[in-house]
């Protein structure tokens, strides 16, 4: 218990922007097996792959809308528009390696290359996308960053109760102490849901909730930085009532999303930028009734810009 308390304090300090000083860095190397989910449309003539990257305390099931129906499932929406999708579970240098092998190395595990790659992130996965665009500006041909703005307000993280993931559910019982998760359904629902959603989702979501690791928390102070050399198309979609990145008022959210482009992607032409703030929608866009509207806006944008 004591170890969890210290790790929770460490994570909260990272969200507050005042992490404890680090004691230097250590280079690590190794051979890693990457597990992924790959979905392809019947017609692959667009030759475009979307890389889907979820947010904190979710896993790859976020993109299927936790299995609550095809209308919430991003793979179904993307495949219907002719885009293939891939969900890997990685960090920046491994993403860089993966994107390059998918683009240039036909003997990769997908068995083919794609000429265009689109980063589709949610929340933490959006910040990883902007970080990739900063470090490797030509890796992605377009960025779709959801549950994101540069006006972050993490008070909903700071006032929530957290616990060691191993204490939360039998499925997580073997995770080490560095894996944390939310302790109460009310706290999880308060930050992830708002407006119009299936009331059966939040209790299910809490039962199957995923984790944040202290390693992910440690990266939070350095992730929110601009990508000044990235010039490709950018689309931002964030729930108008998402507590972390918008607030409650539609017009305020629209203004925050427009400002985020100038803050993070100053070299992107205005004609290559779009945004959408669905009303009646909290932080988890995929888990609200507006999900089909949002994926429609995103694919209209990609069709017009790729
Ligand atoms: C990190 O540095 C601090 C301050 O110099 C020191 O007190 C602490 O013992 C160091 N921790 C580790 C794990 O080396
Ligand atoms: C930050 O979000 C909380 C809700 O999580 C809200 O009560 C507070 O007013 C927000 N702060 C600002 C400065 O918008
Ligand atoms: C989490 O729950 C506690 C206890 O009910 C409450 O005081 C706090 O405001 C909640 N925070 C959020 C973000 O829901």
């Amino acid at each position: 218990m004591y170890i969890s308390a210290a790790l929770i304090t460490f994570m909260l300090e990272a969200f507050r922007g005042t992490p404890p000083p680090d004691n230097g860095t250590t280079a690590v190397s190794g051979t890693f097996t990457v597990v992924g989910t790959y979905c392809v449309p019947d017609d692959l003539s667009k030759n475009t792959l979307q890389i889907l990257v979820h947010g904190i305390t979710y896993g790859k099931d976020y993109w299927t809308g936790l299995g609550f129906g095809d209308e919430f499932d991003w793979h179904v929406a993307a495949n219907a528009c002719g885009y293939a999708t891939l969900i890997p579970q990685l960090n920046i240098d491994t993403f860089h390696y993966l994107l390059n092998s998918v683009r240039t190395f036909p003997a990769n595990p997908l068995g083919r290359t794609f000429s265009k790659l689109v980063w589709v992130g949610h929340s933490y996965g959006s910040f990883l996308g902007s970080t990739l665009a900063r470090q490797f500006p030509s890796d992605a041909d377009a960025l779709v960053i959801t549950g994101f703005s540069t006006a972050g307000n993490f008070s909903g993280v700071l006032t929530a109760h957290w616990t060691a993931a191993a204490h939360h559910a039998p499925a997580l019982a073997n995770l080490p102490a560095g894996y944390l998760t939310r302790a109460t359904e009310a706290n999880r629902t308060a930050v992830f849901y708002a407006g119009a959603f299936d009331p059966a989702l939040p209790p299910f979501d809490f039962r199957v909730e995923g984790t944040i690791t202290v390693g992910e928390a440690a990266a939070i102070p350095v992730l929110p930085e601009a990508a000044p050399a990235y010039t490709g198309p950018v689309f931002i979609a964030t729930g108008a009532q998402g507590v972390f990145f918008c607030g409650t008022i539609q017009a305020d959210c629209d203004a925050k999303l427009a400002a985020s482009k100038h803050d993070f992607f100053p070299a992107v032409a205005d004609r290559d930028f779009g945004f959408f703030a669905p009303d009646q929608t909290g932080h988890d866009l995929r888990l609200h009734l507006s999900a089909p509207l949002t994926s429609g806006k995103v694919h209209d944008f990609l069709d017009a810009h790729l």
Side-chain angles (χ1 to χ4, degrees), residues 250-271:
Q250 177 88 47
D252 290 354
C253 187
D254 289 345
K256 284 176 183 168
L257 301 191
S260 299
K261 183 256 178 233
H262 296 285
D263 291 344
F264 262 39
F265 306 106
V268 173
D270 285 341
R271 67 173 179 281

Side-chain angles (χ1 to χ4, degrees), residues 153 155-156 243:
N153 167 0
S155 69
V243 292

Side-chain angles (χ1 to χ4, degrees), residues 197-221:
F197 53 86
D198 182 337
L201 255 165
F204 179 77
D205 181 327
F206 179 65
R207 277 204 303 284
V208 301
E209 74 173 331
T211 64
I212 174 172
T213 66
V214 285
E216 287 167 332
I220 284 167

